């Protein structure tokens, strides 16, 4: 998990960090799920060509604007369409699944794509009680439930016999585990188990600094990790001009406003002057939830990332940011890669 730089060049950010991509498979207004997933494959290939470390997909249910609900299925599809980039979950919501099923699914993926599969685990169900019922799951309010399930999952992969059950596939699988979080609880679990930690600062940055401190202060070395390793979510909207970047960001801003006002839906096209026409309370809400965001040209994005990495001392950034136009998104990813590397990317 050592840091590395794009094309082995010295990175221009304050602390040399690898960079990855979080893909929500956002369904645009006017698109089908099939079209959306085809574009996700194209993004993964593009990210691989640009030197991104990993490509993660997130589990969400009952959201018509996100098509990555069958996360392990989509991970297999993306891994099969790429060659070297790590592919995984950012994350699988463990309360929705028996640990044995996840061990078998990700053991299968690791058997098909050795040394390329990540398993990020979240505690939030990513749904409500109706969805939990539809998944045939009872959401356990016991705070010990999540760490207990993580330990059970580790046991299946370790094939240590503690459960009395052998996961096939899964036993002995080299699947890298990560604990995800948007609050302080995940930081405590990751520290206690000696696992890498990924914080969802791309949409819930409020507790980021406190969570990182808890994780680093309480970290217990483990068989898989000798020192803390923190990944931070970070939105990037990059374009050749600041005005264009601001326009690209307006699609995701609209989505957040709709979600927070009870009107979730598909990803809308960008709107000129969207932020300027918002009521102060909604504009302030966006300032809060999207504070871990860079918007602008390559050089502006580099400067903003420098400040974020310097403040957080992140070991890795995982880039998010829903952009309506596919070619504009690919261009944004290329500019982000250039910002990390300090000079134009190879693709």
């Amino acid at each position: 998990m050592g840091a590395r730089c794009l094309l082995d060049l010295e990175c221009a950010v304050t602390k040399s960090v690898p960079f990855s991509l979080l893909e929500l498979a956002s369904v645009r207004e006017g698109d089908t799920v099939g079209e959306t997933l085809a574009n996700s494959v194209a993004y993964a290939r593009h990210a691989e060509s640009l030197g991104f470390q990993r490509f993660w997909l997130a589990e969400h249910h009952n959201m018509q604007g996100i098509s990555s609900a069958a996360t392990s299925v989509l991970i297999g599809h993306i891994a099969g369409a790429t060659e070297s980039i790590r592919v995984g979950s950012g994350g699988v919501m463990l309360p929705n699944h028996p640990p044995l099923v996840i061990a078998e699914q990700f053991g299968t993926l690791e058997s098909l794509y050795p040394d390329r599969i990540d398993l990020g685990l979240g505690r939030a169900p990513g749904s409500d009680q109706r969805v939990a019922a539809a998944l045939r799951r009872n959401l356990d309010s016991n705070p010990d439930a999540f760490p207990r399930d993580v330990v059970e999952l580790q046991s299946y992969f370790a094939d240590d016999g503690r459960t009395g059950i052998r996961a096939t596939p899964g036993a002995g699988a080299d699947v890298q585990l990560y604990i995800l979080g948007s609050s302080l609880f995940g930081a405590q679990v990751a520290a206690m188990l000696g696992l890498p930690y990924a914080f969802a600062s791309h949409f819930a940055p409020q507790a980021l600094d406190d969570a990182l401190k808890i994780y680093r202060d309480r970290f217990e070395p483990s068989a898989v990790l000798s020192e803390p390793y923190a990944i931070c979510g970070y939105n990037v909207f990059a374009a050749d001009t600041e005005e264009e970047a601001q326009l690209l960001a307006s699609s995701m801003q609209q989505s957040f406003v709709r979600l927070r006002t009870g009107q979730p839906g598909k990803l809308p096209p960008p709107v000129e002057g969207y932020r300027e026409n918002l009521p102060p309370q909604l504009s302030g809400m966006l300032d809060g939830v999207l504070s871990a965001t860079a918007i602008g040209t390559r050089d502006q994005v580099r400067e903003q990332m420098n400040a974020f990495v310097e403040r957080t001392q992140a070991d890795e950034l995982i880039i998010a940011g829903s952009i309506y136009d596919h070619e504009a998104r690919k261009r944004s990813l290329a500019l982000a890669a250039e910002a990390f590397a300090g000079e134009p990317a190879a693709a």
Side-chain angles (χ1 to χ4, degrees), residues 226-311:
S226 61
E227 58 186 23
Y229 190 89
I231 303 174
C232 295
Y234 194 71
N235 298 301
V236 173
F237 300 92
D240 295 318
T241 67
E242 182 179 0
E243 293 74 21
E244 183 185 358
Q246 293 287 354
L247 180 62
L248 296 179
S250 69
S251 291
M252 187 168 172
Q253 291 163 355
Q254 292 177 72
S255 291
F256 267 107
V257 168
R258 292 179 181 183
L259 181 64
R260 294 301 178 94
T261 56
Q263 305 172 74
K266 296 183 177 181
L267 184 69
V271 172
E272 292 268 6
Y274 178 72
R275 285 296 299 269
E276 290 80 358
N277 294 314
L278 278 179
Q281 65 272 24
L282 291 179
S283 183
M285 179 273 293
L286 288 179
D287 287 338
V289 299
L290 298 179
S291 61
T293 300
I295 302 175
T297 64
R298 179 191 63 195
D299 292 342
Q300 290 172 320
V301 165
R302 179 185 296 133
E303 182 178 355
Q304 293 169 67
M305 287 193 301
N306 277 344
F308 183 77
V309 173
E310 183 174 16
R311 176 172 70 82

Side-chain angles (χ1 to χ4, degrees), residues 23-54:
E23 165 69 345
L24 296 179
S26 298
V27 184
R28 304 189 310 172
E29 291 182 359
D31 275 2
T32 65
V33 168
E35 290 168 330
T36 300
L37 299 182
N39 282 312
S40 292
V41 170
Y43 294 144
R45 289 172 172 162
H46 188 56
E48 183 174 66
S49 74
L50 293 170
F52 280 70
Q53 174 99 339
R54 65 188 90 247

Side-chain angles (χ1 to χ4, degrees), residues 7 24 52 121 188 197 214 228 267 346:
L7 305 178
L24 296 179
F52 280 70
L121 299 167
Q188 297 173 56
Y197 179 53
I214 286 174
L267 184 69

